[in-house]
Amino acid sequence: MDIIEQIMSLESHYHWLIIALLLGIGEILVPGVFLIWLAAAAAVTGFVAMFIDITVAGQFTLFGLLSLASVFFGRRWYLTNQVESEDPLLNDRSARLVGQTVTVVEAISATSGRAKVADGEWPAKGPDMKKGTTARVTAVEGGVLQLEALEDQNR
């Protein structure tokens, strides 16, 4: 007998437990905090099918209801128990720029200009500044840097 025939010959509760295991492994390989809730639903369905004689249709219904409930309560739990990040601005590049020192590469006015940030250029605006001025980013609005000139250059 090959492996597929062996698996198919198992009782249905083992199928649910194998599915739960595969979903758990899937959550580890592709973390998204979603498959774990389906794995929990499959595991509970497997344990219920192990101790209670339930039809296959009943098992699928139970799995569906448990999946909905576990995803709902899991999502609710994550919304009320925020995980604190060591770097809350990790995926917010523009917010990370606030406070950075930049160099003006195209004269800045209240409506236009460009500034060099690391190895790239960003649109910028602020008080009038000429090319070569060193400035500080005070805010980022719609991808446009709001700049202020550094004090030592106003002398």
Side-chain angles (χ1 to χ4, degrees), residues 49-153:
M50 187 182 302
F51 297 111
I52 298 173
D53 188 25
I54 186 170
T55 66
V56 173
Q59 292 174 23
F60 278 108
T61 302
L62 179 62
F63 174 70
L65 293 173
L66 289 171
S67 294
L68 289 172
S70 65
V71 168
F72 174 77
F73 287 113
R75 184 176 189 287
R76 191 172 197 191
W77 184 84
Y78 274 107
L79 289 175
T80 59
N81 298 298
Q82 293 289 325
V83 177
E84 292 296 322
S85 171
E86 291 180 15
D87 189 1
L89 300 177
L90 178 64
N91 293 319
D92 192 352
R93 184 171 181 206
S94 60
R96 292 177 78 103
L97 294 176
V98 174
Q100 296 281 329
T101 302
V102 299
T103 304
V104 174
V105 294
E106 182 181 303
I108 302 292
S109 69
T111 58
S112 67
R114 295 192 67 77
K116 183 168 181 66
V117 179
D119 62 348
E121 290 183 12
W122 285 59
K125 61 184 181 179
D128 291 341
M129 289 180 253
K130 60 184 178 181
K131 182 177 178 180
T133 304
T134 304
R136 177 173 291 115
V137 178
T138 59
V140 181
E141 296 174 6
V144 178
L145 304 178
Q146 305 294 316
L147 302 180
E148 69 178 4
L150 292 178
E151 292 298 321
D152 56 43
Q153 293 184 355

Side-chain angles (χ1 to χ4, degrees), residues 5-46:
E5 290 175 353
Q6 289 178 344
I7 291 173
M8 295 308 290
S9 67
L10 293 173
E11 294 181 38
S12 65
H13 61 272
Y14 287 118
H15 292 147
W16 288 109
L17 297 176
I18 290 169
I19 290 169
L21 178 67
L22 293 174
L23 287 168
I25 291 170
E27 177 68 27
I28 291 169
L29 295 176
V30 185
V33 191
F34 182 74
L35 292 178
I36 195 68
W37 305 115
L38 300 179
V44 171
T45 301

